[in-house]
Amino acid sequence: MADNKYPENYLEHYIVSFSSTGQTPDKIGFENLARLYIDIEGSGTFSELVKEIQLIKENDDWSYFDEIVRDFEIKDLSTNKLKEMADVAITVFMEMT
């Protein structure tokens, strides 16, 4: 279902990036992740990530991404932490525009 809605998998990639960069699951860690992601992927890709996050929020599709967290065995990333990660990404994006 969600695969069709989010074919580019920006948030999935962002979640995996979180797990591989050693960031902490808090506001500071999520801000660091956002800035690192921009440095590596570029602001255009980050903009697309934020658009996808906004769509996920509108559709309330967090449960799909909970499955990804479980599949990749990422600790400390509950639904609330995923939402916080997403909100921090939006905030960082708004600060750079």
Side-chain angles (χ1 to χ4, degrees), residues 7-54:
E8 300 298 325
N9 295 316
Y10 288 108
L11 185 56
E12 182 174 340
H13 182 255
Y14 197 64
I15 291 167
V16 173
S17 297
F18 168 78
S19 72
S20 64
T21 59
Q23 300 301 329
T24 53
D26 55 26
K27 184 179 180 197
I28 291 169
F30 295 148
E31 286 175 352
N32 290 340
L33 174 65
R35 295 185 200 310
L36 181 62
Y37 193 85
I38 292 165
D39 287 346
I40 294 170
E41 299 292 334
S43 58
T45 299
F46 191 71
S47 173
E48 293 301 314
L49 166 68
V50 169
K51 288 178 190 174
E52 187 176 276
I53 287 170
Q54 290 167 331

Side-chain angles (χ1 to χ4, degrees), residues 60-76:
D60 196 24
D61 274 344
W62 298 108
S63 62
Y64 171 74
F65 294 95
D66 285 337
E67 285 182 36
I68 291 169
V69 168
R70 278 193 302 276
D71 289 347
F72 283 100
E73 298 179 0
I74 302 169
K75 297 178 181 171
D76 303 323

